[in-house]
């Protein structure tokens, strides 16, 4: 029987459980990015309580990016020192941490919002170099890898989506061409830095002419065959299609993908109850699950679940943390 608290391998990483804390911005920074005790404390609580892996809050490439105000910053003077301290805290509890890179716009030097169709080959090279440089900075700060957010509505989800990409060169047209921009990034990160590369992808686009589930599966397989170390599944907007339906909306996709690739696949979104999560683990190919709001509601809830052998998140799903772009819970203050 599989259990959420099983110790397991996550490609090159060793995890203390199958539970992954997934990105949630940390708003309590100061003076352009400096981390504060609230953030260190939150990370320590999560790491101590039994989480297997932490995916960081998103880091943007550019200060003009749409979400920069809520994103973490890797371009302030104290970045390496602060985040080394943060990753050391997690490592003290044997919890690896991946830095998440997510950008909504791409500034190619001529246009701050360069569309996928307009990006020149030089623009593509600039983008790739910036992502690789971000990975390098993460490695200096002690992160165990990078997560490239190419899901939700972020730039790389658009670049790889036939709804937005009608390029006629090697970076447009068929599936391999549209994902080539990411495959080349992965290859270089693996070669030059060598640490874990995770990709966060959408299962589909929903818009007519957009990415279908069939093509998304094909892309995920290409990522796996070309060096990606893990894949997290998400949807175009985080609230899309999540509801109280009995079956998890991404489960069929995750099940299929986990069967077809030999890298970890992370099921994400609306997972709240230990019993239900163990049921999914034992009735599907899914081996890893990520949660976000439950950690906002209570950073160390996993300690209670582990001690009691059961538990449900106290998150009420009001969505205030997300819609008000805060990292604190609006229902509980402890
Ligand atoms: C407060 C908050 C901040 C978030 N910040 C990020 C982020 O930085 N990067 C990201 O990819 N997703 C972010 N998300 C989305 C979550 O990672 C997750 O996909 C979503 O909340 C669904 O998972 P859940 O039902 O377990 O909360 C955030 C969500 C919340 C509630
Ligand atoms: S603010 Fe609402 S959605 Fe966010 S963690 Fe608290 S209860 Fe859950």
């Amino acid at each position: 029987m599989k259990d959420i608290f099983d110790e397991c391998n996550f490609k090159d990483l060793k995890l203390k459980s199958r539970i992954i804390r997934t990105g949630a911005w940390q708003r309590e920074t100061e003076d352009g990015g400096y981390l504060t005790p609230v953030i260190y404390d939150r990370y320590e609580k999560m790491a101590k309580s039994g989480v297997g892996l932490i995916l960081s809050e998103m880091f943007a490439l550019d200060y003009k990016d749409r979400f920069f105000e809520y994103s973490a910053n890797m371009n302030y003077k104290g970045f390496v020192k602060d985040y080394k301290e943060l990753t050391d805290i997690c490592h003290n509890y044997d919890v690896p941490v991946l830095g998440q890179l997510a950008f909504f716009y791409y500034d190619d030097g001529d246009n701050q919002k360069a569309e996928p169709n307009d990006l020149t080959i030089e623009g593509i090279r600039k983008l790739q170099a910036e992502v690789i440089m971000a990975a390098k900075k993460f490695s200096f700060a002690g992160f165990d890898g990078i997560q490239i957010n190419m899901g939700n509505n972020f730039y790389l989800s658009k670049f790889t989506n036939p709804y937005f990409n009608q390029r006629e060169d090697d970076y447009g047209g068929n599936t391999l061409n549209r994902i080539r921009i990411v495959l080349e990034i992965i290859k270089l990160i693996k070669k030059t830095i060598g640490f874990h590369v995770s990709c966060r992808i959408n299962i589909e686009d929903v818009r007519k002419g957009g990415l279908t589930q069939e093509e998304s599966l094909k892309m995920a397989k290409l990522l796996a065959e070309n060096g990606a170390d893990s894949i997290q599944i998400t949807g175009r907007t985080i609230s899309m299609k999540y509801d109280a339906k009995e079956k998890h909306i991404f489960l069929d996709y995750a099940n299929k993908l986990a069967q077809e690739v030999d890298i970890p696949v992370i099921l994400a979104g609306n997972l709240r109850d230990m019993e239900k999560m163990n049921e999914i683990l034992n009735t599907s190919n899914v081996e890893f699950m990520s949660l976000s709001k439950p950690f906002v509601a209570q950073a160390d809830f996993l300690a209670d679940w582990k001690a009691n052998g059961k538990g449900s998140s106290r998150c009420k799903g009001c969505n205030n943390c997300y819609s008000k772009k805060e990292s604190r819970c609006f229902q509980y203050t402890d």
Side-chain angles (χ1 to χ4, degrees):
M1 288 278 281
K2 287 189 277 181
D3 187 89
I4 62 166
F5 290 110
D6 290 338
E7 287 188 12
C8 47
N9 292 326
F10 186 83
K11 193 73 187 293
D12 52 323
L13 305 173
K14 278 216 171 318
L15 308 194
K16 288 196 307 185
S17 76
R18 300 179 186 276
I19 301 301
I20 295 160
R21 191 302 293 249
T22 189
W25 40 67
Q26 304 295 307
R27 297 301 308 282
E28 299 91 347
T29 53
E30 280 174 358
D31 300 334
Y34 287 87
L35 300 183
T36 56
V38 179
I39 298 174
Y40 290 116
D41 183 53
R42 185 177 292 134
Y43 264 76
E44 179 149 27
K45 278 187 174 149
M46 293 191 294
K48 208 177 176 174
S49 65
V51 73
L53 170 72
I54 295 179
L55 299 175
S56 81
E57 50 280 14
M58 64 175 140
F59 287 79
L61 275 180
D62 190 327
Y63 73 95
K64 287 172 280 184
D65 206 74
R66 178 166 163 187
F67 291 123
F68 184 77
E69 195 187 337
Y70 326 118
S71 304
N73 185 1
M74 58 170 64
N75 296 312
Y76 70 99
K77 223 174 162 184
F79 166 75
V80 170
K81 181 176 171 294
D82 277 8
Y83 281 90
K84 183 71 178 59
E85 214 174 302
L86 193 80
T87 52
D88 280 350
I89 289 174
C90 300
H91 293 155
N92 281 341
Y93 296 98
D94 297 322
V95 175
V97 195
L98 307 186
Q100 192 199 59
L101 186 74
F103 50 100
F104 196 85
Y105 300 127
Y106 186 66
D107 183 352
D108 65 358
D110 292 324
N111 182 354
Q112 196 245 320
K113 296 179 186 171
E115 291 294 335
N117 287 341
D118 302 332
L119 213 52
T120 59
I121 293 296
E122 289 73 25
I124 288 177
R125 295 288 172 261
K126 179 175 171 292
L127 183 155
Q128 292 175 317
E130 288 178 29
V131 176
I132 292 158
M133 192 51 74
K136 194 133 218 167
K137 286 185 185 173
F138 283 139
S139 76
F140 291 152
F143 286 92
D144 301 274
I146 183 171
Q147 180 179 63
I148 302 172
N149 192 339
M150 46 187 293
N152 306 120
N153 283 306
F154 291 100
Y155 191 81
L156 290 170
S157 76
K158 288 166 83 180
F159 196 97
T160 50
N161 186 346
Y163 185 88
F164 292 99
N165 181 335
Q166 288 87 36
R167 298 177 68 97
E168 290 175 356
D169 59 3
D170 287 349
Y171 294 88
N174 62 35
T175 312
L176 176 62
N177 278 0
R178 268 181 280 116
I179 204 158
R180 189 184 305 280
I181 189 169
V182 181
L183 300 185
E184 290 174 346
I185 290 171
I186 295 172
K187 188 173 173 191
L188 270 159
I189 294 177
K190 296 303 293 180
K191 199 168 166 189
T192 57
I193 310 170
F195 68 1
H196 192 103
V197 181
S198 183
C199 295
R200 174 164 161 125
I201 62 165
N202 291 340
I203 66 161
E204 61 188 338
D205 180 63
V206 188
R207 280 175 287 229
K208 196 165 175 235
L211 185 77
T212 60
Q213 281 205 26
E214 196 187 10
E215 194 182 21
S216 168
L217 274 167
K218 199 168 160 189
M219 277 191 179
K221 280 191 256 174
L222 281 168
L223 290 168
E225 284 159 17
N226 286 277
D229 294 298
S230 61
I231 291 177
Q232 183 189 28
I233 293 161
T234 186
R236 224 177 76 208
T237 71
I238 62 153
S239 53
M240 186 185 82
K241 290 186 178 178
Y242 292 165
D243 57 25
K245 275 186 194 154
E246 277 193 9
K247 193 166 174 192
H248 193 287
I249 193 75
F250 301 151
L251 187 55
D252 285 343
Y253 179 106
N255 203 18
K256 241 186 252 172
L257 183 60
Q259 196 170 27
E260 293 184 28
V261 295
D262 59 2
I263 59 169
V265 173
I266 308 165
L267 180 69
N270 218 24
L271 296 158
R272 302 286 180 266
D273 180 79
M274 181 168 163
E275 200 183 330
K276 278 195 186 146
M277 289 161 68
N278 273 334
E279 191 185 308
I280 293 177
L281 284 178
N282 287 293
T283 53
S284 74
N285 300 310
V286 170
E287 301 211 26
F288 301 95
M289 296 177 175
S290 70
L291 295 79
S292 179
K293 292 192 197 93
F295 288 98
V296 177
Q298 186 186 347
D300 57 0
F301 73 96
L302 281 177
D304 296 339
W305 287 22
K306 201 171 180 179
N308 300 331
K310 61 178 184 175
S312 280
S313 168
R314 65 181 184 175
C315 169
K316 293 190 169 138
C318 67
N319 210 34
N320 277 325
C321 50
Y322 185 78
S323 57
K324 296 189 198 305
K325 305 287 180 264
E326 290 290 348
S327 31
R328 67 186 170 86
C329 180
F330 284 73
Q331 304 285 342
Y332 308 98
T333 49
D334 61 328

